mmCIF file of all heavy atoms in Angstrom:
data_model
loop_
_atom_site.group_PDB
_atom_site.id
_atom_site.type_symbol
_atom_site.label_atom_id
_atom_site.label_comp_id
_atom_site.label_asym_id
_atom_site.label_seq_id
_atom_site.Cartn_x
_atom_site.Cartn_y
_atom_site.Cartn_z
ATOM 1 N N TRP A 373 -43.246 46.922 10.505
ATOM 2 C CA TRP A 373 -44.651 46.726 10.886
ATOM 3 C C TRP A 373 -45.336 48.085 11.034
ATOM 4 O O TRP A 373 -44.737 49.043 11.502
ATOM 5 C CB TRP A 373 -44.744 45.996 12.221
ATOM 6 C CG TRP A 373 -44.165 44.616 12.236
ATOM 7 C CD1 TRP A 373 -42.849 44.269 12.320
ATOM 8 C CD2 TRP A 373 -44.889 43.386 12.197
ATOM 9 N NE1 TRP A 373 -42.703 42.899 12.329
ATOM 10 C CE2 TRP A 373 -43.944 42.330 12.269
ATOM 11 C CE3 TRP A 373 -46.246 43.060 12.132
ATOM 12 C CZ2 TRP A 373 -44.312 40.992 12.259
ATOM 13 C CZ3 TRP A 373 -46.621 41.729 12.132
ATOM 14 C CH2 TRP A 373 -45.661 40.706 12.186
ATOM 15 N N VAL A 374 -46.620 48.095 10.636
ATOM 16 C CA VAL A 374 -47.430 49.292 10.823
ATOM 17 C C VAL A 374 -48.710 48.894 11.547
ATOM 18 O O VAL A 374 -49.301 47.852 11.262
ATOM 19 C CB VAL A 374 -47.740 49.981 9.477
ATOM 20 C CG1 VAL A 374 -48.540 49.081 8.536
ATOM 21 C CG2 VAL A 374 -48.465 51.310 9.706
ATOM 22 N N GLY A 375 -49.132 49.708 12.494
ATOM 23 C CA GLY A 375 -50.294 49.382 13.299
ATOM 24 C C GLY A 375 -51.600 49.578 12.542
ATOM 25 O O GLY A 375 -51.746 50.512 11.750
ATOM 26 N N GLU A 376 -52.538 48.671 12.807
ATOM 27 C CA GLU A 376 -53.868 48.774 12.200
ATOM 28 C C GLU A 376 -54.630 49.926 12.841
ATOM 29 O O GLU A 376 -54.727 50.019 14.071
ATOM 30 C CB GLU A 376 -54.626 47.460 12.411
ATOM 31 C CG GLU A 376 -56.023 47.438 11.833
ATOM 32 C CD GLU A 376 -56.642 46.055 11.963
ATOM 33 O OE1 GLU A 376 -56.464 45.241 11.029
ATOM 34 O OE2 GLU A 376 -57.279 45.784 13.006
ATOM 35 N N SER A 377 -55.177 50.811 12.005
ATOM 36 C CA SER A 377 -55.939 51.954 12.511
ATOM 37 C C SER A 377 -56.834 52.456 11.389
ATOM 38 O O SER A 377 -56.381 53.160 10.488
ATOM 39 C CB SER A 377 -54.998 53.067 12.989
ATOM 40 O OG SER A 377 -55.724 54.202 13.385
ATOM 41 N N TRP A 378 -58.103 52.042 11.440
ATOM 42 C CA TRP A 378 -59.017 52.502 10.388
ATOM 43 C C TRP A 378 -59.327 53.976 10.601
ATOM 44 O O TRP A 378 -59.587 54.416 11.716
ATOM 45 C CB TRP A 378 -60.315 51.689 10.462
ATOM 46 C CG TRP A 378 -61.184 51.892 9.260
ATOM 47 C CD1 TRP A 378 -61.106 51.226 8.069
ATOM 48 C CD2 TRP A 378 -62.243 52.849 9.145
ATOM 49 N NE1 TRP A 378 -62.050 51.705 7.208
ATOM 50 C CE2 TRP A 378 -62.771 52.719 7.837
ATOM 51 C CE3 TRP A 378 -62.795 53.801 9.983
ATOM 52 C CZ2 TRP A 378 -63.816 53.488 7.371
ATOM 53 C CZ3 TRP A 378 -63.838 54.586 9.523
ATOM 54 C CH2 TRP A 378 -64.338 54.430 8.232
ATOM 55 N N SER A 379 -59.209 54.802 9.614
ATOM 56 C CA SER A 379 -58.939 54.474 8.221
ATOM 57 C C SER A 379 -57.523 54.861 7.792
ATOM 58 O O SER A 379 -57.236 54.955 6.602
ATOM 59 C CB SER A 379 -59.941 55.221 7.342
ATOM 60 O OG SER A 379 -59.781 56.654 7.550
ATOM 61 N N ALA A 380 -56.642 55.060 8.774
ATOM 62 C CA ALA A 380 -55.288 55.477 8.432
ATOM 63 C C ALA A 380 -54.473 54.349 7.828
ATOM 64 O O ALA A 380 -53.693 54.559 6.897
ATOM 65 C CB ALA A 380 -54.580 56.018 9.670
ATOM 66 N N ALA A 381 -54.640 53.113 8.371
ATOM 67 C CA ALA A 381 -53.890 51.954 7.873
ATOM 68 C C ALA A 381 -54.747 50.723 8.086
ATOM 69 O O ALA A 381 -55.062 50.377 9.237
ATOM 70 C CB ALA A 381 -52.565 51.811 8.605
ATOM 71 N N TYR A 382 -55.134 50.088 6.997
ATOM 72 C CA TYR A 382 -56.005 48.909 7.121
ATOM 73 C C TYR A 382 -55.781 47.952 5.963
ATOM 74 O O TYR A 382 -55.370 48.352 4.865
ATOM 75 C CB TYR A 382 -57.478 49.321 7.198
ATOM 76 C CG TYR A 382 -58.019 49.995 5.954
ATOM 77 C CD1 TYR A 382 -58.555 49.264 4.904
ATOM 78 C CD2 TYR A 382 -57.982 51.386 5.835
ATOM 79 C CE1 TYR A 382 -59.051 49.880 3.769
ATOM 80 C CE2 TYR A 382 -58.464 52.015 4.698
ATOM 81 C CZ TYR A 382 -59.004 51.255 3.668
ATOM 82 O OH TYR A 382 -59.480 51.867 2.537
ATOM 83 N N LEU A 383 -56.030 46.688 6.228
ATOM 84 C CA LEU A 383 -55.889 45.646 5.220
ATOM 85 C C LEU A 383 -57.175 45.560 4.415
ATOM 86 O O LEU A 383 -58.260 45.341 4.968
ATOM 87 C CB LEU A 383 -55.607 44.304 5.898
ATOM 88 C CG LEU A 383 -55.269 43.135 4.974
ATOM 89 C CD1 LEU A 383 -53.903 43.339 4.319
ATOM 90 C CD2 LEU A 383 -55.279 41.822 5.764
ATOM 91 N N ARG A 384 -57.058 45.731 3.136
ATOM 92 C CA ARG A 384 -58.232 45.702 2.277
ATOM 93 C C ARG A 384 -58.827 44.302 2.187
ATOM 94 O O ARG A 384 -58.086 43.318 2.135
ATOM 95 C CB ARG A 384 -57.866 46.181 0.868
ATOM 96 C CG ARG A 384 -57.489 47.656 0.787
ATOM 97 C CD ARG A 384 -56.974 47.992 -0.597
ATOM 98 N NE ARG A 384 -56.605 49.409 -0.709
ATOM 99 C CZ ARG A 384 -55.835 49.904 -1.660
ATOM 100 N NH1 ARG A 384 -55.330 49.082 -2.584
ATOM 101 N NH2 ARG A 384 -55.558 51.195 -1.696
ATOM 102 N N GLY A 385 -60.124 44.230 2.179
ATOM 103 C CA GLY A 385 -60.786 42.950 1.942
ATOM 104 C C GLY A 385 -61.551 42.436 3.159
ATOM 105 O O GLY A 385 -61.594 43.065 4.218
ATOM 106 N N VAL A 386 -62.154 41.273 2.958
ATOM 107 C CA VAL A 386 -62.946 40.591 3.982
ATOM 108 C C VAL A 386 -62.139 39.399 4.470
ATOM 109 O O VAL A 386 -61.806 38.504 3.683
ATOM 110 C CB VAL A 386 -64.308 40.132 3.410
ATOM 111 C CG1 VAL A 386 -65.122 39.400 4.472
ATOM 112 C CG2 VAL A 386 -65.090 41.335 2.862
ATOM 113 N N HIS A 387 -61.814 39.369 5.754
ATOM 114 C CA HIS A 387 -60.916 38.350 6.296
ATOM 115 C C HIS A 387 -61.497 37.739 7.581
ATOM 116 O O HIS A 387 -62.272 38.370 8.292
ATOM 117 C CB HIS A 387 -59.542 38.947 6.594
ATOM 118 C CG HIS A 387 -58.885 39.591 5.419
ATOM 119 N ND1 HIS A 387 -58.213 38.865 4.451
ATOM 120 C CD2 HIS A 387 -58.811 40.897 5.030
ATOM 121 C CE1 HIS A 387 -57.731 39.683 3.529
ATOM 122 N NE2 HIS A 387 -58.084 40.927 3.859
ATOM 123 N N LEU A 388 -61.088 36.515 7.860
ATOM 124 C CA LEU A 388 -61.411 35.811 9.103
ATOM 125 C C LEU A 388 -62.915 35.792 9.403
ATOM 126 O O LEU A 388 -63.353 36.172 10.489
ATOM 127 C CB LEU A 388 -60.651 36.428 10.276
ATOM 128 C CG LEU A 388 -59.129 36.520 10.124
ATOM 129 C CD1 LEU A 388 -58.525 37.162 11.370
ATOM 130 C CD2 LEU A 388 -58.524 35.157 9.883
ATOM 131 N N PRO A 389 -63.720 35.324 8.472
ATOM 132 C CA PRO A 389 -65.168 35.323 8.718
ATOM 133 C C PRO A 389 -65.579 34.261 9.739
ATOM 134 O O PRO A 389 -65.004 33.179 9.805
ATOM 135 C CB PRO A 389 -65.751 34.999 7.341
ATOM 136 C CG PRO A 389 -64.680 34.191 6.662
ATOM 137 C CD PRO A 389 -63.384 34.783 7.135
ATOM 138 N N THR A 390 -66.564 34.601 10.547
ATOM 139 C CA THR A 390 -67.270 33.648 11.397
ATOM 140 C C THR A 390 -68.693 33.564 10.883
ATOM 141 O O THR A 390 -69.403 34.585 10.843
ATOM 142 C CB THR A 390 -67.275 34.102 12.868
ATOM 143 O OG1 THR A 390 -65.962 34.019 13.401
ATOM 144 C CG2 THR A 390 -68.191 33.219 13.705
ATOM 145 N N VAL A 391 -69.103 32.382 10.473
ATOM 146 C CA VAL A 391 -70.460 32.179 9.964
ATOM 147 C C VAL A 391 -71.371 31.826 11.132
ATOM 148 O O VAL A 391 -71.064 30.923 11.920
ATOM 149 C CB VAL A 391 -70.488 31.063 8.902
ATOM 150 C CG1 VAL A 391 -71.920 30.769 8.463
ATOM 151 C CG2 VAL A 391 -69.635 31.457 7.710
ATOM 152 N N TYR A 392 -72.483 32.534 11.252
ATOM 153 C CA TYR A 392 -73.437 32.276 12.322
ATOM 154 C C TYR A 392 -74.559 31.378 11.808
ATOM 155 O O TYR A 392 -75.098 31.571 10.711
ATOM 156 C CB TYR A 392 -74.055 33.579 12.819
ATOM 157 C CG TYR A 392 -73.084 34.566 13.392
ATOM 158 C CD1 TYR A 392 -73.182 35.918 13.071
ATOM 159 C CD2 TYR A 392 -72.080 34.182 14.273
ATOM 160 C CE1 TYR A 392 -72.315 36.855 13.614
ATOM 161 C CE2 TYR A 392 -71.195 35.096 14.813
ATOM 162 C CZ TYR A 392 -71.323 36.434 14.479
ATOM 163 O OH TYR A 392 -70.455 37.360 15.004
#
Side-chain angles (χ1 to χ4, degrees):
W373 298 78
V374 62
E376 180 174 270
S377 176
W378 192 85
S379 60
Y382 64 88
L383 187 69
R384 293 173 180 162
V386 179
H387 303 279
L388 305 180
T390 291
V391 175
Y392 299 137

